[in-house]
Amino acid sequence: NVRPIRRALLSVSDKTGILEFAQALHAQGVELLSTGGTAKLLADNNIPVMEVSDYTGHPEIMDGRVKTLHPKIHGGILARRGIDEIVMEQNAIKPIDLVTVNLYPFAETVAKPGCTLADAVENIDIGGPTMVRSTAKNHKDTTIVVNAKDYGRVIAEMQANNGSTTLETRFDLAIAAFEHTAAYDGMIANYFGTMVPAHSNDECHDDSTFPRTFNSQFVKKQDLRYGENSHQKAAFYVDTQIDEASVASAIQLQGKALSYNNIADTDSALECVKEFEGPACVIVKHANPCGVALGANLLEAYDRAFKTDPTSAFGGIIAFNQELDAQTAQAIVDRQFVEVIIAPKVSQAARDIIAAKANVRLLECGEWNTKTTTLDYKRVNGGLLIQDRDQGMVNLEDVKVVSKRQPTAEQLKDLMFCWKVAKFVKSNAIVYAKDGMTIGVGAGQMSRVYSAKIAGIKAADEGLVVENSVMASDAFFPFRDGIDAAAAAGISCIIQPGGSIRDEEIIAAADEHGMAMVFTGMRHFRH
Ligand code: 93A
């Protein structure tokens, strides 16, 4: 019961390839209907065509604003074949089996210098998308073509199928159709979203480079003074599909306006501190933790996190996983210059203390429960990389001891702490830790051995004893040099994914130094 295409409606702004397509449809015995400009082009080229207005008996009105918005058009497209025949007959509606539409050139119009709001508004296509959606909705029986590149494919399929298209093709073209109208409305929303109307006249002025919503999923929270650098414009958007306490959901209680880098660093700090149970503190500088610690209470956690690297902590971002109390707030204020403090809650007493430092940005993000499964996006020039958020985390039961020496219970606890921190350090990541406190962090180096060396240097410079500390590496060691560097620094126990072709050599190195080593089987690259 595959019906051949007998009637087609062609209405295109971009007329590329339409003559050849119309000619081929005509050659297959398809009756053609068309709107003003398209109809004229076909007629001028001796292709038989009927104007939509002649077919509907209704003229195009209002300078073309209403030309195809007619029951004889939409009834002809939307009619359920085998169900609606009587209604069609009663209303003199003939079936329209194929629709080819491309829309008023909104993007090109608004890109032109000096384009007014009125120009833009006139270029919002209404009838076109309506036909596109009608036809795509009824894809079971109708064929929608919105891209000139599909003309050849449709003709070839009709020639091979006695004048019909396959359901597979019609469904594929329907997806393309909805993509087309979604992108089109997205463009309009983005354009309108950057405008404020001036009520005195028809003009409106460009208020901001960044629209109110982005891809309909992200809603602008605030414009930022600038981006990563002062010559870059920037804005901050909230993901409406995520309902998890985050830097985006946080309320700013006081302080200067957040900068682009503040927000990025606060996110790093908060997401890292979320990994821990019991009082914990993370201090971040330039997207990397420079101090992470657990404590009997927040004050102790902060104190120890600060001790890892007081030099880097200066001007840092501090995140807590519990309500910020007065003592901890006082310790921060007394001790250091801080850009941002974030906690799930901030006590009134802590607020009063931090109020003394009017510039400090104080954020309350609320309690987090479960983590949302979301996507991570990374922009590359000309494209977008999309992946799952890194939600992976191994437990003690999942790790495998590979060395001769067994880690002690204390070391195992430190290994897990250290591993959690390493997940939030830029690769190559090496973290030294002891007693639930980072001792040294080596971040973002191009070779793993240098990250290991830097972690050791940092610890030594701050006078922290590495002896009996543990080390975490976000990915496997390609060579034994990283193990040797760690041993030289005084590391006694290592956690790493394993999986190198030289694992045997690496394990032998650990055994040689009398170190314990465990494999997680899971890697945490972070770039
Ligand atoms: O102004 S519209 O929104 N009103 C309509 O009823 C309508 N029907 C088709 N624009 C409408 N169109 C659009 O006209 C099509 O999407 C196509 O882009 C254009 C083709 O016009 P012409 O054939 O006169 O060049």
Side-chain angles (χ1 to χ4, degrees):
N1 61 342
V2 196
R3 291 155 214 268
I5 291 167
R6 296 205 196 286
R7 193 169 295 99
L9 191 155
L10 312 180
S11 180
V12 290
S13 281
D14 178 353
K15 299 191 165 59
T16 312
I18 198 66
L19 276 179
E20 295 76 4
F21 187 49
Q23 190 69 62
L25 288 171
H26 171 62
Q28 301 231 18
V30 177
E31 218 176 273
L32 301 178
L33 289 171
S34 223
T35 44
T38 312
K40 184 170 186 310
L41 180 70
L42 301 194
D44 288 350
N45 286 273
N46 301 316
I47 301 170
V49 59
M50 185 174 203
E51 278 230 30
V52 162
S53 51
D54 291 335
Y55 170 60
T56 59
H58 203 290
E60 282 191 11
I61 54 171
M62 302 166 184
D63 293 322
R65 276 193 170 201
V66 179
K67 42 188 170 189
T68 57
L69 295 160
H70 194 282
K72 283 183 82 167
I73 298 301
H74 284 278
I77 298 170
L78 284 165
R80 292 157 296 182
R81 274 58 170 176
I83 296 178
D84 291 326
E85 273 70 17
I86 293 173
V87 191
M88 289 170 79
E89 211 180 299
Q90 286 167 346
N91 293 281
I93 293 170
K94 293 181 190 170
I96 298 171
D97 310 309
L98 180 143
V99 172
T100 295
V101 166
N102 61 54
L103 309 175
Y104 284 169
F106 185 82
E108 291 85 337
T109 303
V110 299
K112 279 184 206 140
C115 165
T116 63
L117 180 61
D119 293 337
V121 164
E122 270 328 301
N123 276 281
I124 297 175
D125 199 325
I126 302 298
T130 309
M131 287 190 290
V132 170
R133 299 180 78 250
S134 291
T135 318
K137 171 171 176 164
N138 211 22
H139 65 267
K140 199 161 80 59
D141 294 303
T142 56
T143 307
I144 176 67
V145 191
V146 294
N147 296 314
K149 71 168 175 46
D150 290 320
Y151 294 166
R153 163 189 176 194
V154 168
I155 293 298
E157 197 166 300
M158 286 171 69
Q159 282 165 352
N161 283 291
N162 294 320
S164 35
T165 50
T166 61
L167 177 62
E168 202 184 10
T169 295
R170 290 197 298 279
F171 193 70
D172 183 56
L173 293 171
I175 298 170
F178 284 120
E179 286 168 352
H180 191 59
T181 53
Y184 194 77
D185 275 345
M187 275 185 320
I188 299 168
N190 279 356
Y191 176 76
F192 273 38
T194 60
M195 296 285 182
V196 230
H199 293 289
S200 50
N201 55 36
D202 194 29
E203 301 301 304
C204 69
H205 69 276
D206 193 345
D207 179 44
S208 154
T209 324
F210 296 96
R212 197 161 66 185
T213 67
F214 183 74
N215 280 349
S216 66
Q217 185 187 343
F218 301 94
V219 173
K220 185 156 75 178
K221 183 172 187 180
Q222 62 206 91
D223 280 304
L224 302 172
R225 273 186 65 207
Y226 51 81
E228 207 159 358
N229 302 291
S230 61
H231 58 276
Q232 294 170 273
K233 293 198 184 84
F236 184 29
Y237 286 80
V238 174
D239 188 337
T240 53
Q241 293 176 7
I242 295 190
D243 178 30
E244 178 186 328
S246 66
V247 65
S249 72
I251 294 162
Q252 186 170 356
L253 301 174
Q254 69 147 67
K256 290 203 290 194
L258 286 161
S259 74
Y260 180 101
N261 294 320
N262 285 160
I263 294 166
D265 288 350
T266 304
D267 175 61
S268 300
L270 182 64
E271 294 310 310
C272 181
V273 88
K274 280 182 182 178
E275 290 288 337
F276 303 104
E277 273 154 35
C281 173
V282 174
I283 309 180
V284 159
K285 257 307 259 305
H286 289 288
N288 280 301
C290 63
V292 182
L294 311 175
N297 50 48
L298 274 202
L299 177 59
E300 192 186 30
Y302 162 65
D303 223 37
R304 302 175 82 220
F306 181 82
K307 276 201 188 105
T308 305
D309 186 353
T311 317
S312 302
F314 181 83
I317 310 285
I318 308 179
F320 296 101
N321 62 347
Q322 296 186 352
E323 175 175 320
L324 180 61
D325 56 82
Q327 294 84 334
T328 311
Q330 191 65 57
I332 297 171
V333 165
D334 289 346
R335 182 184 282 162
Q336 73 166 108
F337 164 54
V338 55
E339 285 271 326
V340 182
I341 303 171
I342 187 166
K345 266 192 94 198
V346 181
S347 75
Q348 189 55 53
R351 289 184 198 200
D352 294 344
I353 290 162
I354 291 165
K357 301 269 167 135
N359 286 343
V360 173
R361 300 156 185 93
L362 182 61
L363 270 57
E364 192 177 70
C365 66
E367 297 291 342
W368 47 88
N369 305 311
T370 48
K371 289 193 175 180
T372 333
T373 312
T374 59
L375 296 176
D376 267 351
Y377 307 95
K378 184 186 182 127
R379 190 79 171 85
V380 294
N381 197 13
L384 183 67
L385 285 165
I386 305 183
Q387 64 173 354
D388 283 342
R389 175 179 179 183
D390 182 2
Q391 299 264 52
M393 185 40 73
V394 296
N395 297 311
L396 266 183
E397 309 85 70
D398 309 318
V399 305
K400 195 173 116 204
V401 179
V402 293
S403 55
K404 291 197 178 115
R405 182 182 287 268
Q406 292 290 315
T408 65
E410 279 308 299
Q411 282 175 329
L412 279 173
K413 262 169 73 182
D414 274 339
L415 285 178
M416 290 318 295
F417 167 80
C418 203
W419 181 244
K420 285 177 177 175
V421 178
K423 181 179 167 181
F424 292 89
V425 175
K426 299 257 178 192
S427 303
N428 288 313
I430 294 287
V431 180
Y432 290 2
K434 188 160 69 179
D435 301 331
M437 166 183 166
T438 50
I439 299 291
V441 179
Q445 295 305 302
M446 296 70 79
S447 63
R448 194 156 295 282
V449 62
Y450 271 86
S451 285
K453 284 181 183 173
I454 287 169
I457 293 167
K458 295 290 275 294
D461 284 359
E462 300 303 341
L464 298 166
V465 182
V466 177
E467 209 61 36
N468 272 324
S469 294
V470 305
M471 172 172 85
S473 171
D474 66 337
F476 66 63
F477 287 91
F479 303 102
R480 64 169 288 162
D481 55 2
I483 311 296
D484 295 333
I491 294 292
S492 63
C493 194
I494 297 173
I495 187 166
Q496 59 131 325
S500 158
I501 50 164
R502 292 198 185 76
D503 270 356
E504 250 177 71
E505 190 183 321
I506 308 288
I507 295 168
D511 286 338
E512 202 181 298
H513 293 298
M515 300 160 116
M517 184 148 74
V518 308
F519 282 3
T520 60
M522 186 185 287
R523 186 179 84 178
H524 286 300
F525 269 169
R526 183 178 168 98
H527 294 113

